[in-house]
Amino acid sequence: MTSVRPNRTGSPDAGATRARYRRILRFAGWNLAVTWWYELVLPRIGLARVAERTRSKRMQLFAQRFHVLAVELGGLMIKVGQFMSSRLDVLPPEITTELEGLQDEVPPLPFAAIRELAEAELGAPLERVFTTVDETPVAAASLGQAHQARLGPMDAADTGLDRVVIKVQRPGIDAIVDVDLAALRRVGRWLSHVRLVSDRVDAPALVEEFARTSLQEIDYLHEAASAERFAEEFAGDERVAVPAVVWERTTRRVLTLEDVTAIKVTDAAALRAAGIDPVDVAPVFAEVMFDQLFTMGFFHADPHPGNIFVTPVIGAPDDSGGRPWKLTFIDFGMMGEVHSATRSGLRKLLIAAAARDGKGLVNAMREVGVLLPTAETTELERAMTQLFARFGGMGFAQLREVDPREFRDFAMQFGEVVRSLPFQLPENFLLIIRAMSLTSGVCSSLDPEFNLWDSVEPYAAQLVRDERGNLLQDIAREAWDVAGVAVRLPKRVDGLLTRIEDGSVAVSSPRLEQRIARLERLARRLGSAVVFAALLIAGAVVRADDEVFGTVLIVASVVPLLYTLFGARRGR
C-alpha cells in the first residue's frame, strides 16, 4: 500500500507527503479535464452523442481508478470513496456501484508501534494499566485500530467493567489527514468554478463539512463525549445499548470502551442460531434511525454493518411486550446533528413521502434548502406526483422487477425538468443522506423483501399525531394571515387596476424566455461551427496549391471555433 511513510519520530516523511498531495491533485485534475472535454466541449461543437455514448464507460472507469487510489493511499481517501458510494448526491450508478464494496479496512500496524503510542498517551506501560492486551487487532482501519483488553483490578473496581476495547490512533495520521484535506480543499476550489457543480452545491463548504467530520474522528475525546450523549438520548430505551466509556484510560489519541462485541447485524446465520429472526430486526433498526434523525436531532452518521451489533438479552421477556435482543451501536466518531428548523422540514418531507403528496414533498424540499426559494416547481410537482403514482410504495425487491424501460421513459420525460431546477445540497445534508442510505442498505441485507415504506408510513402517521398538539396554534396563525390578506386586498386590487389602465403591467414566462434564449445561443453556435468547418476544410484544400493563403484560412478558423466553445457564455 502506497501511503505516507512515518519516520523515526512518528511524523510522515516530507517527500512522501508532497508525493501524496501531488498524486491526489493529479488524479482529480486529469478526471476534471476529461469531464470538461466530454461534457462541455464536445456538445458545443455538435458531438454530444459521442459524450453520451461514452459516459457510462467513463464513469465506471473513473470509479475503478479511484477505488485503486483509495486502497493504495488509505487515510481520508477511503472515507471520500465511502461518501461517494452512499448516494450522497446525483452521482450515477456506475460510480456508486463500483465503490459500494470499498471498506475502511487496511493491513494492521505492528503491535509495537501501537504500544509505543498508547503508552506515551496513557503515561504508563500497558502491563500496568491493563491485565491483558490482545496484540491481534479486532479491527484495523485507515485512522486507527482496536485491540481487546481487560482492565486492571483498580479500574475494574471503579468502573464495574472487565473486558474493554482499546482504540488507538495510527501513528502519523494527523499529518496524513492534513495533507488529504489540503488536497481536497484545492479540488473543492476547482469545482466551485465549474458552473454545472456550483449551481447545485457549494463544493468548498462540503469539503469543510467533510474536514470537520474527519478532524472530529481523530479526536477520541470528542468521540467519547458523543458516545455518552448518544447513551443519554436512548436512556431507558429497551431497543438500544451503548458501550460505557472508561474516561480514566481515554485521551485524544486513545479511547477505551466497554467491550460489547456481539452478533454483527447482517450476520443472518448467527442471528438465526441465536433464535433471532433477521426480518424482525430490520424494522426496529429503521425505527431507531428515524428517531435519531426526525425526533432527537443527534444521529449516528456511519451505521454500516460493522458498527451495529445485535445483542441477545439473557432472561428478557419473550412475550408481546418485549424482545430478547437489543441493537448495540459502536464507533461514534462520525455523528451528525440536525437543527430544529431542518428537523421540522425533514418531518414534513417524511410525511409528504408517506402520503404520496408530490406538492407537499416539493414544498418540504424547499423548506430544508434542497431547492432555492425562487425555483419554479410546477413541473417538478407533476413529476413527483407521477413518480408516486407509478413507483410509490414499492420496496427494493419490487423495483428490481420493474421493466427498465419504464425508468428510462420517466427519466426522458422529466429528466430535463430535474436538471434545469436549481437543486443544491445543503451543508448538513451530507451526513443525513449517508445515514439514510446506509440504513436502507442494512435493512435490505436483513430482509431482501424489506420495504422502507412499511416503516415510513407508521412513523409518519405518528409524526402527524405528534404535530396535532400544535394544531390550534397553526389554525390561529393561518386565520391571522388570512385576515391580513383580507385587509390589504382592496388596496392591492385598486393598485393593480391603476397599473392596467396605465399599461404598465408586464407578463412574463421565464421558462419560455429561457427556451428562446437557448435556441438563439444554439443557432449562433451552430452558425459559428459551420463557418469554422468551412474555413478549416477550405484551408486544408487551398494549402496544397497556396501554402500561405491556406495557412491563413486554417488560422482564421480558430476565431469561430473559440466563439462556438466560449462565446455563448456572455449571453447567459
Side-chain angles (χ1 to χ4, degrees):
M1 182 178 114
T2 303
S3 186
V4 174
R5 183 175 61 257
N7 58 26
R8 293 180 180 177
T9 65
S11 301
D13 178 79
T17 297
R18 288 192 297 270
R20 180 185 183 92
Y21 179 78
R22 288 195 297 267
R23 185 174 177 189
I24 295 171
L25 290 187
R26 276 200 308 271
F27 180 89
W30 169 255
N31 284 280
L32 281 174
V34 169
T35 302
W36 173 81
W37 174 257
Y38 278 95
E39 302 298 337
L40 296 178
V41 175
L42 293 188
R44 288 176 179 270
I45 59 176
L47 297 178
R49 290 186 179 181
V50 175
E52 292 172 3
R53 281 200 307 268
T54 61
R55 183 174 295 126
S56 178
K57 182 65 176 176
R58 284 186 287 110
M59 294 298 101
Q60 188 176 14
L61 187 61
F62 162 79
Q64 291 170 350
R65 288 173 175 169
F66 184 85
H67 192 290
V68 172
L69 178 80
V71 170
E72 290 184 355
L73 290 184
L76 293 186
M77 291 301 101
I78 289 179
K79 297 291 183 183
V80 172
Q82 290 177 328
F83 269 77
M84 292 168 66
S85 70
S86 299
R87 304 170 184 87
L88 302 177
D89 49 20
V90 294
L91 287 176
E94 291 86 354
I95 292 179
T96 57
T97 302
E98 177 66 31
L99 295 178
E100 275 177 350
L102 185 62
Q103 299 294 321
D104 191 1
E105 297 175 357
V106 299
L109 286 174
F111 184 69
I114 294 297
R115 172 191 288 274
E116 183 179 354
L117 189 148
E119 291 180 345
E121 286 289 311
L122 297 175
L126 290 184
E127 289 77 9
R128 286 176 50 190
V129 180
F130 302 100
T131 302
T132 61
V133 178
D134 188 349
E135 295 188 7
T136 302
V138 293
S142 57
L143 304 184
Q145 65 186 51
H147 295 259
Q148 290 178 313
R150 299 187 68 175
L151 287 175
M154 292 184 60
D155 286 338
D158 289 342
T159 63
L161 302 176
D162 179 22
R163 298 185 180 276
V164 294
V165 171
I166 315 167
K167 186 175 177 182
V168 183
Q169 206 174 94
R170 292 178 77 93
I173 195 64
D174 285 346
I176 293 175
V177 168
D178 288 343
V179 170
D180 290 356
L181 289 178
L184 290 173
R185 286 184 173 108
R186 188 161 186 178
V187 174
R189 290 195 296 271
W190 289 350
L191 290 173
S192 68
H193 297 295
V194 180
R195 185 171 180 181
L196 186 66
V197 176
S198 62
D199 282 351
R200 286 164 173 76
V201 66
D202 185 345
L206 284 183
V207 171
E208 289 307 317
E209 181 181 0
F210 181 77
R212 185 165 57 252
T213 302
S214 301
L215 292 173
Q216 288 175 353
E217 278 200 81
I218 59 174
D219 181 355
Y220 288 168
L221 291 174
H222 183 273
E223 180 174 346
S226 294
E228 288 208 335
R229 178 178 173 185
F230 193 83
E232 290 171 3
E233 294 283 359
F234 282 101
D237 193 319
E238 296 295 329
R239 304 169 300 172
V240 177
V242 182
V245 179
V246 183
W247 283 103
E248 295 81 358
R249 303 305 175 192
T250 294
T251 70
R252 195 182 74 84
R253 302 174 73 187
V254 174
L255 173 62
T256 305
L257 294 167
E258 175 187 6
D259 188 354
V260 292
T261 305
I263 303 171
K264 187 177 179 179
V265 69
T266 52
D267 190 344
L271 288 172
R272 292 191 183 95
I276 301 169
D277 189 346
V279 173
D280 294 336
V281 176
V284 177
F285 177 62
E287 185 181 82
V288 168
M289 290 305 300
F290 287 157
D291 281 345
Q292 296 172 48
L293 284 162
F294 302 110
T295 302
M296 298 173 181
F298 182 67
F299 64 94
H300 198 300
D302 197 21
H304 64 74
N307 286 339
I308 314 294
F309 293 122
V310 177
T311 305
V313 179
I314 307 301
D318 198 14
D319 55 20
S320 58
R323 65 179 59 85
W325 50 269
K326 289 186 176 186
L327 291 169
T328 301
F329 287 75
I330 62 170
D331 194 348
F332 301 91
M334 188 183 297
M335 304 296 291
E337 196 157 0
V338 187
H339 300 297
S340 57
T342 303
R343 191 158 67 247
S344 173
L346 286 174
R347 289 160 71 101
K348 292 178 182 177
L349 197 70
L350 185 67
I351 292 170
R356 320 292 201 269
D357 179 3
K359 184 174 182 179
L361 186 70
V362 172
N363 288 337
M365 290 167 66
R366 180 183 279 112
E367 182 171 333
V368 297
V370 175
L371 277 172
L372 294 178
T374 57
E376 172 53 52
T377 58
T378 303
E379 288 297 312
L380 181 62
E381 291 171 9
R382 189 165 71 90
M384 291 297 101
T385 300
Q386 292 197 22
L387 181 69
F388 281 134
R390 177 61 188 93
F391 306 112
M394 289 187 177
F396 290 107
Q398 294 169 297
L399 287 172
R400 283 195 291 266
E401 300 299 322
V402 175
D403 189 336
R405 287 175 295 185
E406 290 196 48
F407 292 117
R408 187 175 64 248
D409 292 343
F410 183 88
M412 290 178 64
Q413 184 178 0
F414 294 106
E416 181 59 30
V417 173
V418 174
R419 284 191 294 270
S420 64
L421 283 171
F423 283 103
Q424 59 180 1
L425 190 60
E427 209 174 306
N428 59 344
F429 257 54
L430 202 61
L431 295 179
I432 294 173
I433 297 174
R434 174 179 174 80
M436 289 305 299
S437 174
L438 290 172
T439 298
S440 177
V442 169
C443 290
S444 296
S445 297
L446 287 164
D447 178 9
E449 301 298 320
F450 178 78
N451 189 336
L452 194 62
W453 295 102
D454 293 340
S455 294
V456 167
E457 288 175 341
Y459 195 88
Q462 181 60 48
L463 288 180
V464 171
R465 289 192 291 272
D466 293 344
E467 294 288 342
R468 285 176 182 167
N470 296 324
L471 184 59
L472 290 178
Q473 295 179 10
D474 293 342
I475 292 174
R477 188 161 48 248
E478 289 290 336
W480 178 261
D481 291 342
V482 170
V485 171
V487 170
R488 296 190 299 270
L489 187 58
K491 188 173 182 179
R492 296 181 67 182
V493 170
D494 181 62
L496 176 61
L497 291 175
T498 301
R499 292 174 64 194
I500 292 174
E501 291 172 354
D502 294 343
S504 59
V505 175
V507 179
S508 65
S509 175
R511 292 185 61 81
L512 179 60
E513 293 172 358
Q514 289 174 4
R515 290 176 182 271
I516 292 173
R518 189 181 304 167
L519 287 173
E520 290 176 347
R521 290 196 300 270
L522 179 61
R524 289 196 297 268
R525 291 203 303 272
L526 184 59
S528 297
V530 170
V531 174
F532 159 69
L535 288 173
L536 184 63
I537 294 171
V541 173
V542 172
R543 197 167 185 272
D545 297 322
D546 189 336
E547 185 175 351
V548 175
F549 185 52
T551 302
V552 169
L553 289 176
I554 291 174
V555 172
S557 71
V558 173
V559 176
L561 173 63
L562 291 175
Y563 181 82
T564 301
L565 294 177
F566 307 109
R569 291 186 178 179
R570 291 194 295 268
R572 291 184 176 179

